[in-house]
């Protein structure tokens, strides 16, 4: 069935590319109200296309922020229902002066489409849409029931996504989710994503005196909040980067031989990786770089500040210092427990007379893992092997894709990330690009994957009881 | 001789107060170009007054920034020539909303004049000017030759002062300097200042990778610049605040029993002091608070920053971090050597693969001390005892008054700080005030001090060979 669809997509490739370029011209920056027009234009463009390809119930799902786009095709009774996830918003294009061609005037050079959002994630999102369109055009129907869900706030942390999911829970009922965002771990070797680390955040401030003081008048006899902050942050790790926070690792999965083998499966050159980052080798010597960045948790300070930071100098003895911190979590770690462990550590290491204040939302996102025999995973592996002619490796992402955990915990369904973006495409940076070869690959692999999923029954998909 | 002058000043007190209020109405904020008009108005006001009281050679000394005001009376051949130092610029008034009455609309409440610059240092500066005026009006001449020097950049770190002194070296030749800025260590006990700590500064940055990276993708395997900065800053002191920098203390004077006795002479309640600061007791337990803050050196980080410091969060693994640091130095320490010691310490503690970059001007300001039998000091002690009816204690300041060291090193002369400001008058803060009682005290003590100095010969003043 997918063969004809694949031929159709290949024949339509020029028109699809034109539509992608048109979508990339719409500056849908979700974080900046100045781009409200671009957001609305991208929504209109996509809704028009969804109607044109024959999807039904095209509508905006409002959760108080940027609405999500919804559309469905439910003409395959007895077949699985799959949510196809993508997002239509993009990162801000700044700094503009570093772009070779303007971010919202897509330019094709060396087999790459350069534009903001090309890689993240309008390219892969349009592949999903056009795949559905091709099935409807060629076959008059899809192998599975489709619920298309295109978010508008992914690049700002999905603030109203939980509200949307809660409000439209019945509309979004499905057997699994297939994401156009995320997935590929390497530009050179085929891979299928089986999970990602979770995340929790904690911001804290310390205060060592009632007010800033003159460093000459009181220096030597009053605690400097910056010195205290430095001691606290320095206490979180040992010299080799091992986390030194009691209780933080509670519940964390062991890095078994199987996990080690999985992490080692992707060809990976540590020296080359460090060379690209311009960084020296570092980290817990008991683990490889791939293990450190995917199956071991982290505690990282993302921002730290206090005192006078302007031009010149100021002889102030600062009474306040601040830090923002995030943790990456592995399967088995509870976000709230990890936060609590770091909080207890900081409290235990904070000297008498220094006040600690925490600003945080309790909890976070748990790590997500697809079971080793999950039908989504097995289907994706078969399709990837057909397309690449070699068996893909299973990889875990070091980052966090909250949507996978959110759908799992709220709707009870599992997700597979099947995006076509490659990790080197400068997403979030100037000169973001998407490979034309990835467009072609996606137009081959997505019909195959939907066809594979169409061979399954709804009851083949594991389901999580709602929290 | 000074008795008649004192009576004259007491009789003129209402007119002098009016002139002080008029001067305080002129917003002479040196740091902000928006106040250029206020700066010019304050210069005009003072130049007019200097001419009116009979000073000669009234002129502006230009060193490329805000000019200094100069005027002289040199009608006492054979007598010492004394530079009277003050400054006409003030700190910015922000935050305005915290002022009970507007900063440039002086208001008298509870025996205090509330206005920006009242304490620092228009009050004491005008006392010096009016004292000279009274001598000229009553006696037709002063006990000593006078070179009045009123700086316009004290509140911004005196950037062009070295250029002014170099350019007008001959004009500024003198036997000693008497400063209307600085001096009093206590509101309740008479004191005479015998020195202050020196200062040196060092700004440094560290870099742990070529660019910021995604904390999920690389976290756990790349050094976080903020963690490295924390370790470096934490390494500068031990848990009790003792400096742990090899070589930093080289040359520093010993805290002898005499020095300890001097530091203990001023009645001082440590618990009350910490209570006012809202801080817990802290510092090297081998020294008292007075010793820690005056005769022991410090290394203080005044500002530290890196990574994401805005609202919300950003999962960045920062590759850069920055810190601004100043040291307070005691007699015997060389600023350049102290800087070099801290620099070496940071280099030694910086791990391989992390780049350190220093931004600093080599050198700084040495500590300044008046010799125990210095004629300036002995004269000031006699006068203070007469005015207060009790012998003053000798005190050292923890802060730094670069002008004293600059005049010492450039003009070869010693300085005495004989200002009337008290340490509790919220200089640099909202609701700065100056006590009317201090105005009265200054109008008594300054004529006495000039008279005392007039009894000395120029050769009585020690002189330093130029560097």
């Amino acid at each position: 069935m997918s063969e004809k669809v694949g031929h159709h997509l290949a024949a339509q490739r020029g028109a699809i590319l034109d539509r992608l370029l048109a979508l990339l011209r719409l500056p849908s920056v979700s974080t900046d109200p100045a781009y409200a027009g671009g957001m609305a234009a991208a929504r209109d463009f996509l809704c028009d296309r969804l109607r044109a390809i024959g999807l039904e119930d095209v509508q905006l799902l409002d959760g108080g922020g940027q609405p999500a786009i919804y559309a469905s095709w439910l003409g395959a009774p007895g077949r699985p229902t799959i949510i196809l996830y993508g997002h239509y918003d993009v990162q801000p294009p700044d700094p503009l002066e570093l772009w070779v061609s303007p971010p919202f005037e897509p330019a094709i050079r060396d087999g790459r489409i350069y534009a903001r959002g090309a890689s993240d994630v309008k390219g892969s999102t349009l592949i999903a849409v056009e795949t559905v369109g091709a099935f409807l055009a060629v076959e008059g129907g899809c192998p599975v029931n489709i619920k298309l869900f295109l978010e508008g706030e992914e690049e700002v942390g999905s603030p109203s996504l939980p509200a949307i999911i809660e409000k439209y829970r019945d509309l979004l009922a499905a057997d699994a989710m297939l994401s156009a965002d995320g997935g590929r771990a390497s530009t050179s070797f085929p891979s299928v994503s089986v999970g990602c680390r979770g995340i929790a955040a904690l911001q804290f401030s310390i205060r060592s005196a009632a007010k800033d003081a003159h460093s000459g008048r009181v220096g030597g006899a009053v605690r400097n909040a910056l010195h205290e902050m430095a001691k606290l942050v320095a206490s979180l790790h040992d010299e080799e980067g091992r986390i030194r926070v009691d209780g933080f690792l509670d519940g964390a999965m062991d890095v078994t031989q199987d996990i080690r083998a999985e992490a080692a499966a992707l060809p990976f050159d540590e020296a080359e990786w460090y060379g690209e980052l311009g960084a020296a080798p570092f980290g817990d010597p008991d683990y490889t770089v791939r293990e450190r960045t995917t199956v071991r948790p982290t505690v990282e300070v993302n921002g730290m500040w206090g005192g006078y930071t302007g031009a010149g100098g100021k002889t102030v003895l600062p009474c306040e210092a601040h830090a923002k911190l995030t943790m990456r979590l592995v399967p088995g770690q509870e976000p709230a427990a990890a936060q609590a462990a770091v909080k207890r550590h900081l409290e235990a290491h904070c000297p008498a007379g220094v006040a600690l204040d925490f600003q945080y939302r309790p909890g976070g996102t748990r790590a997500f893992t697809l079971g080793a025999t999950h039908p989504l995973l097995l289907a994706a592996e078969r399709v990837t092997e057909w397309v690449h002619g070699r068996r893909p490796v299973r990889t875990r992402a070091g980052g966090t894709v909250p949507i996978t955990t959110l759908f799992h915990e709220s709707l009870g369904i599992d997700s597979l990330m099947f995006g076509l973006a490659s990790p080197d495409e400068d997403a979030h940076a100037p000169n973001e690009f998407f490979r034309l070869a990835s467009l072609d690959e996606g137009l081959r692999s997505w019909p195959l994957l939907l066809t594979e999923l169409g061979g399954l029954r709804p009851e083949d998909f594991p389901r999580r009881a709602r929290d």
Side-chain angles (χ1 to χ4, degrees), chain A residues 123-433:
Chain A
S124 297
T125 296
L126 202 69
I127 288 169
V129 169
E130 296 292 339
T131 298
V132 172
F135 273 111
L136 296 179
V138 174
E139 307 280 350
C142 279
V144 293
N145 296 294
I146 298 290
K147 291 186 172 180
L148 199 81
F149 182 86
L150 306 183
E151 196 190 351
E153 293 183 329
E154 200 278 338
E155 299 297 0
V156 289
S158 306
S160 53
L161 187 58
I164 290 174
I165 292 178
E166 194 57 41
K167 184 170 170 188
Y168 299 98
R169 165 180 301 282
D170 294 337
L171 192 69
L172 295 171
D175 298 304
M177 186 268 260
L178 200 55
S179 171
D181 197 12
R184 257 209 259 242
S186 162
T187 55
S188 56
F189 207 89
S191 62
V192 173
S193 175
V194 298
C196 53
R197 291 194 283 196
I199 193 167
L202 191 67
Q203 181 167 334
F204 64 99
S205 301
I206 60 173
R207 173 174 285 278
S208 59
K211 53 184 173 181
D212 282 355
H214 188 293
S215 71
R217 288 195 187 157
V218 310
V222 169
R223 286 189 190 273
N224 181 320
L226 299 179
H227 301 184
E228 301 304 325
M229 176 58 80
K231 285 191 277 183
L232 285 178
V233 170
S235 74
L236 294 168
H237 302 84
D238 71 11
E239 283 299 317
E240 287 177 302
R242 290 184 199 88
I243 297 165
R244 282 290 171 255
V245 176
D246 281 348
F248 176 74
L249 282 166
D250 284 359
M253 72 171 183
D254 288 331
V255 180
T256 61
Q257 285 309 315
D258 283 353
I259 299 279
R260 286 189 185 261
E262 179 191 277
L266 186 75
F268 185 81
D269 184 326
E270 293 198 353
E272 185 186 322
W273 188 80
Y274 279 115
E276 276 167 14
L277 291 166
F282 178 69
D284 189 338
D286 291 342
Y287 299 93
T288 66
V289 168
R290 284 286 299 160
E291 290 163 1
R292 287 174 215 158
T293 56
T294 60
V295 294
R296 292 292 293 167
T298 70
V299 175
E300 296 287 343
V301 177
N302 307 116
M304 178 170 74
W305 70 102
Y308 180 72
T309 60
K314 186 180 178 190
T315 51
V316 62
L317 191 141
C319 70
E320 275 185 21
H322 312 274
K324 291 174 190 280
L325 177 156
T326 50
M327 310 144 223
R328 297 287 171 171
L329 308 174
V330 298
Q333 283 183 296
E334 280 300 317
Q339 280 172 322
V342 173
K343 196 162 166 284
R344 278 196 311 272
H345 173 94
L346 294 170
E347 285 164 347
H349 285 73
C350 189
V354 176
L356 253 177
D357 179 47
F358 295 93
Q359 301 101 46
Y360 69 110
R361 200 171 48 188
T365 301
R366 294 185 186 97
F368 176 77
T369 309
L370 268 184
T373 59
H374 197 284
L376 279 174
L377 174 59
L378 300 179
E381 286 183 320
R382 283 193 300 273
V383 166
T384 305
E385 184 168 0
W386 294 334
V387 169
H388 284 268
R390 65 198 295 188
R391 182 144 188 86
V393 296
R394 294 180 173 187
T395 58
R396 288 171 196 265
T400 307
V401 186
I403 183 94
T404 58
T405 303
L406 193 58
F407 276 39
H408 188 65
E409 297 182 354
S410 298
L411 301 178
I413 63 174
D414 290 316
S415 299
L416 175 77
M417 287 178 279
F418 203 65
L420 277 298
S422 295
D424 66 343
E425 291 176 340
D426 284 325
H428 296 209
N431 304 307
E432 175 180 353
F433 68 90

